[in-house]
Amino acid sequence: MKKFNIFTGIDVSKSTLDFCIIDAKANVLIQGKTKNNSHGIKLLLNHFKKLKVFLNEVLFSFENTGVYSMPLNIFLSERKCDFAEIPALEIKKLKGITRGKSDKTDAKDIALYGLRNLDKITLSSAPQIEILQLKFLFAEREKVIEAIKTFDSTNEAEGFLPNSVFKIVSPINRKILAHLKKALKSIEEKINKVIEQNEKLKQQKALLKSISGIGDVTALYFLLATKGFSVFKDWRKFACYSGIAPFEYSSGSSVRARTKVNHFADKKIKSLLHLVALNAIKYDAELKEYYQRKRDEGKHTLLVLNNIKCKIVSRAFAVISRESPFVNTYKFAS
């Protein structure tokens, strides 16, 4: 990590940015508030001219608040400023005991976090446009699928309600379902089009699908969660993010809990990996043999499945790193 002389903490909300600028000795130089738009961010950067500070000396830190922090993310990236998007929970855990809360104090706490944790901060960058497009298309796809499930459940009433009652709703229900399925097809076509137009994403998706059990949806979410395999150094980091990495729980001589995964995880990729593991033990001879061997040894089913999830994640990162499809050498073993 490079050396910084100035640290800026920014508390992001829907319409405003509360900021606090401190020096390397934690002295507050400027505190204020500006609009959460391009004009407001320009006004924020103008403060550094008054302080006679170059932007390459400044570390900007702010919480990752999804779409609300995106204008700040993109603006700082375009001007090649150094910034870090930090999970809100991490800042909260490291604040210690606090009383009360305000955007002004939050901005200062974020600035202090950047100063005190410089050794562990990883600089962020704006995701490529295609990843953002796929992210929002995937979110819309999830909403449509949930809506289809909800409206499809109406058909369960058929045969239980009088026909005269069911017929009042059924024509409307069919029209809504037809419209939703048409919308789902349109979204999936747009997703495929975005991937097809980006050679790198197209290649990465094909490589991921060469692994037994990984289909279109899981391959797509791999690309979204890793931002095109640009934010995780290795598969173990991603396994931790996915909630499949086991951790020891012990303290002193009396606390000896079993090793288990942590509930802080991306629940979507965790559930997708579970489905991938179930498919893999059916169609991948190597993983099927591994699953059966471990079950015969008395290992719990979920423990073995979790190990298989880790193997699948390691395969995913391996094919991307090698830039070559997965080859199951197990079938060539004598």
Side-chain angles (χ1 to χ4, degrees):
M1 176 66 71
K2 64 183 282 190
K3 184 179 179 181
F4 296 98
N5 298 319
I6 302 295
F7 299 84
T8 303
I10 305 172
D11 185 72
V12 181
S13 63
K14 183 178 181 179
S15 56
T16 60
L17 302 172
D18 283 84
F19 62 89
C20 179
I21 303 171
I22 64 174
D23 61 19
K25 295 182 179 179
N27 298 313
V28 176
L29 303 178
I30 298 177
Q31 275 189 297
K33 179 181 288 191
T34 188
K35 295 289 185 182
N36 188 7
N37 54 35
S38 297
H39 179 67
I41 300 169
K42 285 179 183 177
L43 292 177
L44 166 58
L45 297 187
N46 285 340
H47 287 291
F48 298 104
K49 293 181 181 178
K50 298 174 184 177
L51 294 170
K52 297 181 180 179
V53 172
F54 294 107
L55 290 179
N56 60 5
E57 300 177 62
V58 184
L59 173 64
F60 296 87
S61 303
F62 53 93
E63 294 176 353
N64 186 343
T65 54
V67 292
Y68 295 160
S69 59
M70 192 54 64
L72 184 59
N73 184 313
I74 294 173
F75 193 94
L76 294 176
S77 291
E78 288 175 348
R79 282 151 184 80
K80 302 188 184 307
C81 296
D82 294 309
F83 68 94
E85 281 189 288
I86 306 162
L89 184 61
E90 185 172 347
I91 295 172
K92 183 179 179 181
K93 292 276 187 183
L94 293 177
K95 279 172 63 174
I97 300 172
T98 58
R99 293 174 177 83
K101 182 187 185 303
S102 71
D103 294 339
K104 183 178 178 180
T105 56
D106 285 348
K108 184 178 179 181
D109 288 332
I110 295 169
L112 290 171
Y113 176 92
L115 170 62
R116 295 166 179 166
N117 299 277
L118 193 58
D119 59 322
K120 59 186 287 187
I121 284 178
T122 301
L123 295 180
S124 306
S125 60
Q128 62 188 105
I129 293 299
E130 289 84 356
I131 293 295
L132 286 176
Q133 290 173 335
L134 290 172
K135 182 179 179 181
F136 280 95
L137 283 169
F138 185 84
E140 293 304 300
R141 180 183 181 275
E142 292 289 285
K143 293 175 192 174
V144 172
I145 288 174
E146 283 302 312
I148 289 173
K149 289 179 182 177
T150 301
F151 282 97
D152 200 38
S153 64
T154 302
N155 293 322
E156 295 176 6
E158 189 175 11
F160 295 95
L161 292 174
N163 207 31
S164 58
V165 175
F166 184 75
K167 280 187 175 180
I168 292 176
V169 174
S170 58
I172 301 170
N173 183 265
R174 283 196 298 270
K175 287 181 181 178
I176 294 172
L177 279 172
H179 179 73
L180 287 172
K181 288 176 181 177
K182 184 178 179 181
L184 178 62
K185 184 179 179 181
S186 175
I187 290 171
E188 290 178 340
E189 286 174 354
K190 286 182 183 294
I191 288 172
N192 291 331
K193 185 177 179 181
V194 171
I195 293 176
E196 287 295 319
Q197 290 177 344
N198 186 298
E199 196 59 39
K200 184 178 179 182
L201 293 177
K202 180 181 176 182
Q203 182 189 18
Q204 287 181 337
K205 182 183 177 183
L207 291 172
L208 290 170
K209 288 183 67 178
S210 69
I211 301 169
S212 180
I214 294 183
D216 286 321
V217 176
T218 306
L220 171 60
Y221 202 81
F222 257 108
L223 297 177
L224 297 179
T226 62
K227 293 182 181 178
F229 288 84
S230 65
V231 294
F232 292 95
K233 293 181 180 178
D234 55 55
W235 72 267
R236 290 178 176 83
K237 296 283 186 183
F238 186 74
C240 182
Y241 168 83
S242 305
I244 60 174
F247 291 92
E248 180 185 357
Y249 285 81
S250 64
S251 180
S253 58
S254 57
V255 179
R256 286 289 182 274
R258 62 186 177 85
T259 300
K260 56 186 177 181
V261 298
N262 196 287
H263 70 278
F264 290 123
D266 183 330
K267 299 297 194 299
K268 182 63 181 180
I269 189 64
K270 188 174 183 178
S271 64
L272 287 173
L273 285 171
H274 186 76
L275 296 176
V276 171
L278 291 175
N279 279 325
I281 60 176
K282 290 181 181 178
Y283 304 111
D284 187 295
E286 180 182 1
L287 295 180
K288 183 177 182 179
E289 189 273 334
Y290 171 83
Y291 175 80
Q292 194 57 53
R293 185 175 75 252
K294 291 299 179 182
R295 290 293 291 121
D296 293 341
E297 292 174 5
K299 302 293 184 183
H300 195 282
T301 302
L302 293 179
L303 171 63
V304 183
L305 283 174
N306 197 74
N307 292 346
I308 291 173
K309 294 174 197 174
C310 289
K311 289 177 179 290
I312 290 166
V313 170
S314 69
R315 287 180 177 182
F317 274 74
V319 296
I320 297 297
S321 176
R322 293 196 309 260
E323 297 185 355
S324 61
F326 175 74
V327 178
N328 193 342
T329 56
Y330 185 82
K331 61 184 178 182
F332 300 112
S334 56

